[in-house]
Amino acid sequence: EPEVTQTPSHQVTQMGQEVILRCVPISNHLYFYWYRQILGQKVEFLVSFYNNEISEKSEIFDDQFSVERPDGSNFTLKIRSTKLEDSAMYFCASKSGRAIEQFFGPGTRLTVL
Amino acid sequence: ILNVEQSPQSLHVQEGDSTNFTCSFPSSNFYALHWYRWETAKSPEALFVMTLNGDEKKKGRISATLNTKEGYSYLYIKGSQPEDSATYLCAFFGGSGGGADGLTFGKGTHLIIQP
């Protein structure tokens, strides 16, 4: 069964460093998303991406965040200069053109020290 | 700001018992309500996507109902088994249902089944 994959499963970084979180969505899907969950809080929407551009973004997704689909399979989230409060589980999701259901990856746990 | 609430936050249930929990969401601008089952270190697994008021969906021992007019959904588990232990997330999908819209999640109900 096709699935969304994410790497790495856990990333530890120093405050101020750049990190890139990687996702491989399901191959025929057209819409791609990033969400995050800070420990003990709700899963929050960050950004959606369609047709090679950002479609929608939340207030959380400020200038230090960027997304890219560098080739036909990967979808990345870059955090330019990490802060302590960026520590969270980051989920990638994708969906096909007609469906409502979003399929999630297992997440990357980002720890900023 | 959309408010999606789930209760209870956590629940301990004896194996074999049935249980249920609630998700409340805005009744305006509704398009769909998702239920996900999430075990630690795994991907959240989609259980149901519900769109119509009065919808009832079933998957094995798990079922869900939807009331869009009053803004709530119930998830039921019949005859709980240890493998049902997980966090159950509901997520609201609103607006025009445009493909790019993000989901708004509740905090989840953490279910523990005790043998």
Side-chain angles (χ1 to χ4, degrees), chain B residues 25-115:
Chain B
F25 52 85
S27 53
S28 60
N29 222 25
F30 174 88
Y31 193 90
L33 194 281
H34 299 242
W35 280 100
Y36 286 90
R37 179 178 178 278
W38 180 31
E39 291 181 72
T40 306
K42 295 187 179 178
S43 303
E45 172 201 352
L47 291 173
F48 305 112
V49 179
M50 308 178 80
T51 56
L52 298 175
N53 184 43
D55 243 358
E56 286 189 36
K57 296 212 170 179
K58 191 174 178 184
K59 192 175 183 176
R61 294 179 292 98
I62 304 176
S63 60
T65 61
L66 180 70
N67 183 323
T68 60
K69 296 192 174 176
E70 294 180 42
Y72 64 83
S73 175
Y74 291 125
L75 190 84
Y76 300 89
I77 302 178
K78 190 176 174 183
S80 305
Q81 299 296 309
E83 59 264 29
D84 296 329
S85 296
T87 297
Y88 291 82
L89 299 168
C90 73
F92 173 87
F93 186 55
S96 62
D101 293 355
L103 299 175
T104 302
F105 281 85
K107 214 169 178 181
T109 292
H110 184 53
L111 177 66
I112 297 169
I113 307 301
Q114 295 167 324

Side-chain angles (χ1 to χ4, degrees), chain A residues 16-83:
Chain A
Q17 295 297 302
E18 174 183 286
V19 294
I20 297 176
L21 309 182
R22 301 181 194 280
C23 168
V24 179
I26 293 172
S27 64
N28 62 346
H29 284 187
L30 301 176
Y31 295 86
F32 313 109
Y33 308 82
W34 284 101
Y35 294 82
R36 77 171 186 193
Q37 186 190 36
I38 295 171
L39 192 62
Q41 298 186 23
K42 295 179 179 182
V43 174
E44 302 170 290
F45 168 73
L46 294 178
V47 67
S48 60
F49 192 86
Y50 171 71
N51 204 24
N52 281 320
E53 59 183 22
I54 290 175
S55 295
E56 186 188 348
K57 57 184 181 178
S58 70
E59 292 173 352
I60 305 166
F61 194 88
D62 61 23
D63 291 345
Q64 69 157 347
F65 290 94
S66 62
V67 289
E68 197 178 29
R69 188 153 161 82
D71 52 43
S73 59
N74 290 284
F75 179 50
T76 61
L77 174 70
K78 183 193 289 186
I79 309 175
R80 197 162 297 119
S81 176
T82 49
K83 303 175 202 162

Side-chain angles (χ1 to χ4, degrees), chain A residues 4-13 19-24 34 37 87-92 105-112, chain B residues 38 40-43:
Chain A
V4 177
T5 58
Q6 291 185 242
T7 53
S9 57
H10 192 185
Q11 172 106 37
V12 181
T13 190
V19 294
I20 297 176
L21 309 182
R22 301 181 194 280
C23 168
V24 179
W34 284 101
Q37 186 190 36
S87 294
M89 179 74 89
Y90 287 81
F91 291 102
C92 172
T108 293
R109 179 163 297 287
L110 177 66
T111 303
V112 182
Chain B
W38 180 31
T40 306
K42 295 187 179 178
S43 303

Side-chain angles (χ1 to χ4, degrees), chain B residues 11-21 77 79-81 85 111-115:
Chain B
L11 195 50
H12 287 70
V13 174
Q14 284 295 124
E15 183 178 352
D17 287 352
S18 296
T19 188
N20 64 83
F21 28 92
I77 302 178
S80 305
Q81 299 296 309
S85 296
L111 177 66
I112 297 169
I113 307 301
Q114 295 167 324

